[in-house]
Amino acid sequence: MAQQNLVIVESPAKARTISRILGKDYCVMASMGHVRDLPEKTLGVDVRNGFRPLYQETKGRGNVVKELRAAAAKAAHIYLAPDPDREGEAIAWHLHELLAPTTKATFQRVVFHEITRTAVNRAFEHPGELEMNRVNSQQARRVLDRLVGYQVSPLLWSRIEGGSSAGRVQTVALRIVCEREREIRAFVPVEYWTINALLSPVDGEGQFRARLARIDGEKSEVRNQETADRVAAALRGEGPLQVTAVETKPKKRYAPPPFITSTLQQAAGATLRFGASRTMQLAQQLYEGLELGDSGPTGLITYMRTDSVAVANEAQLACRELIAARFGVDYVPEKPNTYRNRAGAQGAHEAIRPTDVTRTPESVAAFLDPAQLKLYTLIWKRFVASQMRPAELAVTGVDVSKRAADGRDYQLKAEATAVVFPGFTSVYQARESEDEEEAEEEMAPAALLVALRPGLPCKLDELKPEQKFTEPPPRFSEATLIRELESNGIGRPSTYASIVNTIQQRKYVDKDKSKLIPTEVGFQVTDFLVANLNDLFQVGFTAGMEEKLDQIEEGKVEWSAMLQEFYDELCRHLGVAKMAGAPESDVAGELLALFANVKEWATPTKRGKRTYSDAAFVTSLGEQFGKQAKLTERQWSALLKMAVK
């Protein structure tokens, strides 16, 4: 077989799409994700030699690796084309390390943020090299997580029944959920009353609603029924109600930026009821390419793991042209809308947007399943809206006052909003998150309030005092927990979904009507780890580790040095935690000494492949105590049980 160009991506779907674009001169194969990883049953990290990871072939990838090696041996050029993030860079590096010894081919890295003919061809025209700082950042994260999992989890198993494992980031996420739940359970509702009135102008038509806002110029605070009854009696009693102020103010509502990973997960959760993993699964399908009739497989959106709101100039221009044609030139702002990234965002990436904005949801509906179409529609509308003019509103406020028989001044407030120019709301009005409050029903038609004038008397048609209670903070959903993690600098776009999945899979958190509720085991795990390893599982400490991983990617921090610093801290905390609940040395020594008087020990028992001997156990503890003069809480507990026996 003639030598050829070999292209390696992660998934078969991505391979199919790219193969159609590149044509017969390229063989495109899928690695099926990672081809190497740390071993499952051992630490797999040489902590004495720069924290060198001891990789092995990923379980279940034997046939894939065999086929890749065979193809690599025949190739002249190998293009590594996994996703454009840390995880993708690491997969590319592992492929190079695995295949390089078996081939004389040259290796190059190609990166594209959308799977379209233009983007893919441009990437292959300008191939690059592996970015080792990015690879090292991913390796550091993997090693960090392994160190915590393998060092902390055994401690957890010894203390918490049902505590399956601890995770560096997952434990912090669980802590946030548990702390919110405790805040909810400790919440004491406070009674308050609202006073709503239905009014009508004496010399006009129509009715409008108003709410008690002030008493004697101060914000009204009605805390109980007695006060509510007294206020209601004053408003119903003698004395005229009249309009004292009418004011209309212009207001602009600006379009939200295009989606990033976290905001897509939040909006999809709020409007489509998709979980974080479901959202990312569908987004992956839209990114990797779907069959669009005669067009063949086509990537419909840009890369979906991103924290950047940047948009390519050509995409902005194409969107502005579509807006002008579809909605009119009045909807196109003078200059393209731009948005500021949060600190630490990967500026080289783009936001999540359609690869071709002229590919409207209607035009692809026949080729997408219902869930894919819903998510694509959400992404398309959000992107188009992000390049449109703001909505222009006119907010009219009306004050209606009364000097009551009790000598106090009561002021009621009515408000209405009129849309002067719909702007971006013509295309996008989705809720941003599940806990976003629904817009209150308008108190009155805006036209009625605008027609009112100061001095106009009003009639009280209805008065409705209503008892209410303050509410606790809402429980987290998957999407709002991701927002909380992001706002605290915890996790990254590629890890959000796995974080919220892991705490559910470990039965630390249950989901009830989309809300996350800690289980009893979840509380126990959190309480134990916070009590014994608080510093390691603080929000601030975890966010600081994320910043250091970013600095490794930027070449500012050496990854093995960072791991050494963390490992020293981990060992120090573990040493203290393991001795929590341990006895004083003299007490332990006295009890061990008593066992010297035992003349006859119980016969050793065999369970499976292991033999359990009381005598051997006590001898072993005695030898350890002789060296360290201390026992752990677990050893002390076992020794006490044996003493009773």
Side-chain angles (χ1 to χ4, degrees):
M1 182 177 175
Q3 288 187 324
Q4 59 178 316
N5 299 305
L6 174 62
V7 180
I8 308 177
V9 297
E10 301 100 319
S11 74
K14 190 173 175 182
R16 283 194 298 273
T17 306
I18 292 174
S19 182
R20 295 274 191 94
I21 292 170
L22 294 176
K24 59 182 177 57
D25 293 334
Y26 293 83
C27 171
V28 185
M29 299 181 70
S31 70
M32 308 301 292
H34 277 280
V35 290
R36 297 198 311 173
D37 200 358
L38 298 175
E40 288 184 2
K41 297 184 178 179
T42 60
L43 178 62
V45 178
D46 189 346
V47 296
R48 292 186 175 142
N49 290 291
F51 297 87
R52 184 170 64 89
L54 307 174
Y55 293 116
Q56 62 183 31
E57 285 184 21
T58 303
K59 189 176 180 180
R61 294 285 190 276
N63 289 336
V64 172
V65 170
K66 184 177 178 181
E67 292 171 1
L68 288 172
R69 280 183 170 140
K74 300 171 186 175
H77 304 286
I78 298 176
Y79 296 94
L80 304 171
D83 290 338
D85 57 11
R86 284 180 198 164
E87 208 67 31
E89 203 72 23
I91 291 173
W93 176 74
H94 282 298
L95 286 165
H96 175 271
E97 295 298 291
L98 199 65
L99 301 178
T102 67
T103 181
K104 294 181 180 180
T106 60
F107 285 83
Q108 288 184 294
R109 175 81 165 113
V110 288
V111 176
F112 36 83
H113 297 270
E114 59 185 72
I115 305 178
T116 59
R117 189 171 298 278
T118 301
V120 170
N121 286 335
R122 185 187 300 139
F124 277 83
E125 288 167 5
H126 302 92
E129 303 300 323
L130 285 165
E131 293 188 25
M132 285 310 299
N133 286 337
R134 183 174 281 188
V135 173
N136 290 338
S137 180
Q138 189 276 344
Q139 290 194 95
R141 177 186 289 280
R142 188 74 184 92
V143 171
L144 277 175
D145 292 343
R146 177 55 63 96
L147 290 173
V148 171
Y150 268 68
Q151 301 280 16
V152 178
S153 294
L155 182 64
L156 193 62
W157 301 334
S158 70
R159 308 296 181 92
I160 307 295
E161 185 177 349
S164 57
S165 60
R168 184 180 62 86
V169 180
Q170 292 91 338
T171 298
V172 179
L174 175 62
R175 179 177 184 172
I176 290 171
V177 175
C178 288
E179 288 177 350
R180 173 62 62 86
E181 186 65 24
R182 286 211 162 103
E183 192 179 347
I184 292 168
R185 294 183 183 184
F187 183 81
V188 179
V190 176
E191 180 184 8
Y192 71 99
W193 288 69
T194 58
I195 313 288
N196 293 306
L198 184 64
L199 306 171
S200 58
V202 171
D203 297 327
E205 295 183 358
Q207 293 178 310
F208 63 96
R209 296 189 180 279
R211 177 172 292 179
L212 179 66
R214 293 183 176 276
I215 301 175
D216 290 334
E218 300 292 330
K219 182 180 178 182
S220 66
E221 291 187 353
V222 181
R223 296 296 187 187
N224 51 53
Q225 184 169 359
E226 182 184 353
T227 305
D229 290 343
R230 189 167 62 247
V231 170
L235 288 170
R236 290 190 181 107
E238 294 181 4
L241 274 163
Q242 66 176 18
V243 176
T244 52
V246 179
E247 185 177 21
T248 300
K249 293 182 178 179
K251 181 179 178 181
K252 287 187 177 182
R253 185 179 167 206
Y254 292 89
F259 284 129
I260 58 176
T261 303
S262 59
T263 55
L264 175 62
Q265 290 168 334
Q266 290 160 35
T271 62
L272 306 178
R273 300 299 181 210
F274 290 166
S277 291
R278 176 71 167 144
T279 298
M280 295 310 290
Q281 178 188 43
L282 292 167
Q284 183 98 23
Q285 294 166 5
L286 296 173
Y287 164 70
E288 290 184 338
L290 298 167
E291 292 282 348
L292 300 182
D294 295 337
S295 302
T298 305
L300 292 178
I301 64 170
T302 52
Y303 191 53
M304 65 286 162
R305 295 186 182 93
T306 177
D307 53 6
S308 169
V309 292
V311 174
N313 290 337
E314 56 266 32
Q316 283 182 325
L317 293 174
C319 190
R320 287 166 65 84
E321 290 176 5
L322 176 131
I323 293 166
R326 188 164 176 144
F327 300 96
V329 293
D330 289 344
Y331 286 80
V332 183
E334 289 184 17
K335 295 187 295 185
N337 292 338
T338 57
Y339 300 90
R340 182 177 298 177
N341 283 324
R342 68 172 181 81
Q346 302 295 304
H349 292 182
E350 269 199 79
I352 304 169
R353 61 167 177 81
T355 55
D356 180 355
V357 74
T358 64
R359 199 176 282 123
T360 63
E362 310 91 75
S363 69
V364 298
F367 308 106
L368 276 57
D369 68 33
Q372 291 168 341
L373 180 60
K374 286 178 182 177
L375 191 65
Y376 181 72
T377 301
L378 189 67
I379 293 168
W380 186 89
K381 287 184 173 182
R382 173 83 165 223
F383 175 61
V384 172
S386 75
Q387 290 302 313
M388 296 177 78
R389 275 184 54 192
E392 296 177 13
L393 311 172
V395 181
T396 300
V398 172
D399 294 338
V400 178
S401 300
K402 176 173 183 170
R403 178 77 172 178
D406 62 1
R408 308 187 75 180
D409 290 317
Y410 294 88
Q411 183 187 88
L412 296 95
K413 186 84 174 177
E415 194 171 89
T417 300
V419 177
V420 178
F421 176 72
F424 79 92
T425 62
S426 298
V427 66
Y428 184 83
Q429 299 186 62
R431 290 168 65 199
E432 299 299 296
S433 67
E434 291 171 61
D435 59 2
E436 181 178 305
E437 292 184 7
E438 296 282 0
E440 285 192 15
E441 184 181 346
E442 286 288 355
M443 290 182 168
L448 174 58
L449 294 192
V450 170
L452 300 177
R453 292 291 178 266
L456 183 70
C458 293
K459 185 172 64 169
L460 180 62
D461 297 327
E462 180 182 289
L463 193 67
K464 187 178 180 183
E466 188 173 356
Q467 183 188 39
K468 295 193 174 183
F469 292 90
T470 54
E471 294 186 356
R475 289 189 172 101
F476 288 109
S477 65
E478 288 187 0
T480 56
L481 177 58
I482 287 169
R483 184 176 64 190
E484 185 75 9
L485 294 172
E486 182 191 41
S487 67
N488 283 289
I490 298 170
R492 289 297 180 261
S494 60
T495 63
Y496 294 139
S498 66
I499 292 169
V500 297
N501 270 358
T502 299
I503 60 176
Q504 293 176 72
Q505 290 168 355
R506 291 177 180 166
K507 307 299 182 186
Y508 294 165
V509 167
D510 284 335
K511 187 155 58 170
D512 181 21
K513 296 179 181 177
S514 84
K515 298 300 182 182
L516 302 177
I517 305 173
T519 62
E520 191 55 40
V521 173
F523 276 124
Q524 291 174 6
V525 167
T526 299
D527 292 346
F528 174 75
L529 293 177
V530 169
N532 294 283
L533 296 165
N534 180 50
D535 290 351
L536 292 178
F537 297 113
Q538 280 187 346
V539 169
F541 179 80
T542 306
M545 297 306 297
E546 294 287 0
E547 289 179 10
K548 288 181 180 178
L549 291 171
D550 290 343
Q551 290 169 352
I552 291 170
E553 182 172 342
E554 294 162 6
K556 297 177 181 177
V557 171
E558 203 279 318
W559 72 296
S560 59
M562 183 272 257
L563 288 170
Q564 184 67 61
E565 181 183 344
F566 173 81
Y567 189 66
D568 291 344
E569 187 83 356
L570 175 65
C571 290
R572 182 175 69 80
H573 285 292
L574 281 172
V576 174
K578 286 176 181 177
M579 299 311 296
E584 296 293 334
S585 294
D586 56 345
V587 175
E590 288 176 15
L591 183 59
L592 277 168
L594 291 176
F595 280 95
N597 300 321
V598 176
K599 304 297 183 184
E600 189 174 333
W601 293 90
T603 304
T605 58
K606 192 168 185 178
R607 295 180 207 156
K609 296 180 179 179
R610 298 187 65 180
T611 299
Y612 294 85
S613 166
D614 291 352
F617 176 71
V618 171
T619 301
S620 174
L621 283 188
E623 292 173 353
Q624 177 185 312
F625 187 78
K627 295 176 183 177
Q628 301 178 354
K630 58 186 178 183
L631 297 179
T632 67
E633 186 271 342
R634 190 180 185 188
Q635 291 169 335
W636 174 245
S637 177
L639 197 63
L640 287 174
K641 290 177 182 176
M642 196 170 293
V644 172
K645 179 179 172 182

